[in-house]
Amino acid sequence: ENWIRQDMSGLLDRATQGRHANAWRGWRQAGAAQCYAARLNWPGVPRVSEIIDNVKTYLLDLQTRICTALEAEDGQACFIEDAWQRPGGGGGRTRVLENGALIEKGGVNFSHVFGDSLPPSASAHRPELAGRGFQALGVSLVMHPENPYVPTSHANVRFFSAEKPGEEPVWWFGGGFDLTPYYAFEEDCVHWHSVARAACAPFGAEVYPKFKAWCDRYFHLKHRGEPRGIGGLFFDDLNQWDFATCFAFMRAIGDAYLEAYLPIVQRRKLTPYGEREREFQAFRRGRYVEFNLVFDRGTLFGLQSGGRTESILMSLPPRVRWGYDWKAAPGSEEARLTEYFLQDRDWLANPS
């Protein structure tokens, strides 16, 4: 990683200036697939293809490490792999585990796709990028355990680049992780957010509060007036630091997921449960489906960019239920989920 630390700071800005300007313009105009493969042998500057290669290498390794750890924790089922190609450019590998001893359904997806024009979901909040070619790499995962006392978890880390002939390329990172309990425990909430804060700490004291608040805003069901879960971290359009620092932050968040999730799984996976708990879990999973299909940027980006539908929708739970005007009984353990836990709160400030 030394070449990143030494050479990448300000590369994308410097490359548009001075003696490299003509070469950079040629690189921009080569097309989404070819531009990243072009070898620009500038003195002291790594080839641009190495940027993508290093991000891709990290993401593939992250996918493997997470799958290996979750398989070991499940102890029964294994992930199956489905490699796929996108007709418009790129592809990925989907890994899914179903009907395990712990995980009812879970998926860990890697994708690397490119195209001539950003989908509307990617340019809606940045209209100046509309019409640019793009490359997108990422790992996205969702785990739906069978035991209602084990929360659902979601994590995602990604890298985007958008190019347009005659204009400077724009790159950014995004990602985060969040937790959706059904029967929640305060110590689990505190642990989850403690790991999130520790992952952010090397990058500045303001980073965790900023991305924690962004997560609370993002994973909010507007039509229900409630959050999807107890939050975590969410960030997007991250390029205010130099490339090396942004890349390091993305890795820190990706690497923190297992540290945040596995201790909670290990504490709760043997908790007894019955049909009442499973029914409540199915109702609450309905909220998860509503968010993913109505609001989630990743789902919309995948569908609008011609991604693989099975891989995009692997995030949906296998068993879900809706009931007309269904509400938990007042004073019940189920009611406490929304009354106490599903609130935008600072879990690390004087936990009771």
Side-chain angles (χ1 to χ4, degrees):
E1 298 172 355
N2 288 334
W3 66 268
I4 298 178
R5 296 188 181 96
Q6 295 168 359
D7 296 323
M8 285 309 301
S9 177
L11 168 62
L12 295 180
D13 291 331
R14 294 198 307 270
T16 63
Q17 302 172 2
R19 66 184 184 278
H20 301 314
N22 290 335
W24 185 254
R25 281 193 291 270
W27 177 83
R28 276 202 316 247
Q29 295 166 2
Q34 291 78 17
C35 65
Y36 283 106
R39 296 181 177 272
L40 302 180
N41 296 314
W42 300 339
V45 179
R47 292 185 296 268
V48 176
S49 61
E50 292 184 45
I51 299 173
I52 296 297
D53 289 344
N54 278 269
V55 173
K56 186 172 183 176
T57 296
Y58 168 75
L59 292 172
L60 289 170
D61 178 67
L62 178 66
Q63 183 192 37
T64 296
R65 286 189 283 121
I66 290 174
C67 289
T68 299
L70 291 171
E71 274 187 5
E73 194 64 42
D74 186 274
Q76 175 177 298
C78 295
F79 283 91
I80 61 169
E81 181 173 309
D82 182 14
W84 52 274
Q85 295 295 316
R86 175 177 172 270
R93 65 184 193 189
T94 297
R95 291 179 176 176
V96 176
L97 188 155
E98 294 184 287
N99 302 315
L102 165 68
I103 300 169
E104 187 173 15
K105 181 186 177 187
V108 187
N109 285 347
F110 164 81
S111 63
H112 175 196
V113 300
F114 48 83
D116 295 331
S117 180
L118 278 167
S121 61
S123 59
H125 64 298
R126 297 187 65 176
E128 73 276 11
L129 300 182
R132 286 180 175 243
F134 72 94
Q135 289 224 27
L137 299 85
V139 164
S140 180
L141 70 91
V142 176
M143 291 296 131
H144 292 291
E146 180 172 328
N147 190 325
Y149 287 94
V150 182
T152 288
S153 67
H154 162 258
N156 173 274
V157 286
R158 57 192 179 272
F159 174 73
F160 271 83
S161 181
E163 307 87 34
K164 184 176 182 179
E167 297 186 21
E168 295 183 11
V170 178
W171 59 265
W172 68 93
F173 289 91
F177 52 70
D178 63 284
L179 194 70
T180 304
Y182 307 103
Y183 293 89
F185 298 85
E186 188 149 348
E187 66 174 315
D188 295 346
C189 301
V190 171
H191 168 77
W192 182 260
H193 281 275
S194 295
V195 173
R197 183 174 63 181
C200 295
F203 302 89
E206 75 287 353
V207 174
Y208 166 74
K210 176 181 178 180
F211 293 158
K212 188 267 185 192
W214 198 347
C215 186
D216 290 340
R217 294 193 303 271
Y218 179 77
F219 290 104
H220 190 85
L221 284 82
K222 300 177 181 65
H223 60 292
R224 297 285 188 181
E226 64 185 43
R228 188 172 81 172
I230 59 105
L233 299 169
F234 179 87
F235 65 98
D236 204 0
D237 302 319
L238 181 68
N239 60 9
Q240 67 265 34
W241 304 317
D242 61 62
F243 181 90
T245 304
C246 292
F247 188 21
F249 182 75
M250 186 197 76
R251 298 197 307 273
I253 301 309
D255 293 345
Y257 165 74
L258 288 173
E259 182 184 354
Y261 190 47
L262 287 184
I264 297 172
V265 171
Q266 292 159 357
R267 279 197 293 265
R268 308 302 170 196
K269 67 180 184 179
L270 299 180
T271 304
Y273 65 91
E275 187 54 35
R276 168 181 166 171
E277 289 84 2
R278 284 285 279 168
E279 182 177 78
F280 179 64
Q281 179 192 53
F283 277 118
R284 292 303 309 177
R285 281 176 170 178
R287 303 291 205 266
Y288 205 92
V289 172
E290 290 172 20
F291 180 87
N292 278 28
L293 294 183
V294 177
F295 300 111
D296 187 67
R297 290 184 191 172
T299 301
L300 296 175
F301 174 84
L303 295 175
Q304 292 174 0
S305 63
R308 189 169 183 273
T309 303
E310 285 299 313
S311 298
I312 298 164
L313 298 183
M314 68 87 196
S315 64
L316 301 181
R319 181 176 184 252
V320 64
R321 181 175 178 180
W322 282 270
Y324 182 76
D325 200 27
W326 182 89
K327 293 181 177 66
S332 67
E333 190 176 4
E334 290 80 9
R336 190 166 186 261
L337 176 70
T338 52
E339 293 170 357
Y340 180 75
F341 287 97
L342 298 190
Q343 304 292 329
D344 294 340
R345 66 174 72 246
D346 183 355
W347 290 103
L348 303 182
N350 301 318
S352 58

